[in-house]
């Protein structure tokens, strides 16, 4: 609260440490699009190395038969009432977020790889990435949001509908441009 990813990255570097997160759904109130944001742009812009799923329940035996043993399962009944299933949409948004981050990370890797061979293309791609990152919410943008997950609330306001696809398409265009012959 009140700090930035840049401050966290600096602190991690000073302490020769890594940051992992457990930013997962705890119930049906957690919006599906938050899963995409957390596992995509949030992970990409933050200094995180991994996102570990903790949304699970314990079962006994066969995970399809909770009456015969002990197991874990993802995306099963909401803890609020034990009956309402966490929608499949949450898992699909989780997957989409990971794909969003893969495109952005691939583009960063290609920029680093191609910046000497095709400096203009690499510079154009880096400019686009920098402009995208500049649109992400900052600590001061969420200071007045007094609800759980203020950063996700603000991201949700800024990115709606097909804007995620436009970002991915632009990243793919830059990737293809960098992979084409100079």
């Amino acid at each position: 609260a009140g700090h930035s990813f840049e401050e966290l990255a600096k602190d991690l570097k000073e302490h020769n440490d890594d940051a992992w997160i457990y930013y997962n759904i705890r119930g049906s109130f957690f919006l599906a699009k938050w899963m995409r944001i957390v596992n995509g742009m949030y992970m990409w812009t933050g200094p995180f190395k991994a996102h570990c799923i903790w949304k699970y329940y314990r079962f006994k035996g066969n995970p399809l038969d909770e009456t015969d043993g002990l197991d874990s399962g993802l995306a099963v009944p909401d803890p609020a009432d034990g009956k309402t299933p966490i929608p499949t949409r949450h898992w699909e948004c989780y997957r989409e977020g990971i794909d969003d981050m893969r495109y952005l990370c691939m583009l960063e890797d290609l920029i680093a790889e191609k910046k000497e061979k095709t400096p203009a293309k690499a510079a154009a791609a880096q400019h686009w990435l920098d402009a995208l990152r500049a649109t992400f919410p900052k600590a001061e943008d969420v200071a007045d949001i007094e609800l759980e997950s203020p950063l996700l609330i603000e991201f949700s306001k800024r990115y709606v509908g097909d804007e995620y696809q436009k970002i991915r398409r632009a990243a793919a265009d830059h990737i293809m441009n960098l992979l084409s012959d100079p």
Side-chain angles (χ1 to χ4, degrees), residues 6 37 44 64 72 89 135 146-147 149 164 176:
E6 291 80 16
I37 294 165
W44 176 67
L64 301 176
S72 295
R89 185 177 315 131
T135 68
E146 295 185 14
L147 300 170
S149 302
Y164 297 101
M176 295 305 296

Side-chain angles (χ1 to χ4, degrees), residues 15-77:
H15 293 91
N16 194 29
D17 208 349
D18 290 331
W20 291 22
I21 61 171
Y22 297 93
Y23 210 152
N24 294 275
I25 54 179
R26 294 194 328 262
S28 295
F29 78 93
F30 199 98
L31 301 178
K33 64 183 170 180
W34 290 2
M35 293 300 288
R36 185 169 190 170
I37 294 165
V38 166
N39 293 286
M41 293 186 278
Y42 184 92
M43 282 287 294
W44 176 67
T45 197
F48 311 112
K49 297 291 182 189
H51 183 192
C52 302
I53 298 173
W54 65 261
K55 180 62 184 157
Y56 62 88
Y57 288 83
R58 291 292 202 185
F59 293 93
K60 296 184 177 185
N62 180 337
L64 301 176
D65 180 1
E66 67 268 21
T67 65
D68 70 353
L70 186 59
D71 256 326
S72 295
L74 177 68
V76 291

Side-chain angles (χ1 to χ4, degrees), residues 111-162:
I111 290 168
E113 179 185 322
K114 302 284 188 174
K115 67 182 172 186
E116 289 183 22
K117 189 173 182 181
T118 58
K121 290 180 180 184
Q126 187 63 58
H127 177 75
W128 178 80
L129 280 177
D130 293 343
L132 174 64
R133 195 182 301 266
T135 68
F136 292 172
K138 313 277 185 285
E140 60 269 15
D141 298 329
V142 300
D144 295 333
I145 299 175
E146 295 185 14
L147 300 170
E148 185 170 341
S149 302
L151 188 60
L152 294 180
I153 291 168
E154 187 61 28
F155 256 114
S156 294
K157 290 178 188 175
R158 294 180 186 204
Y159 298 98
V160 296
D162 68 347

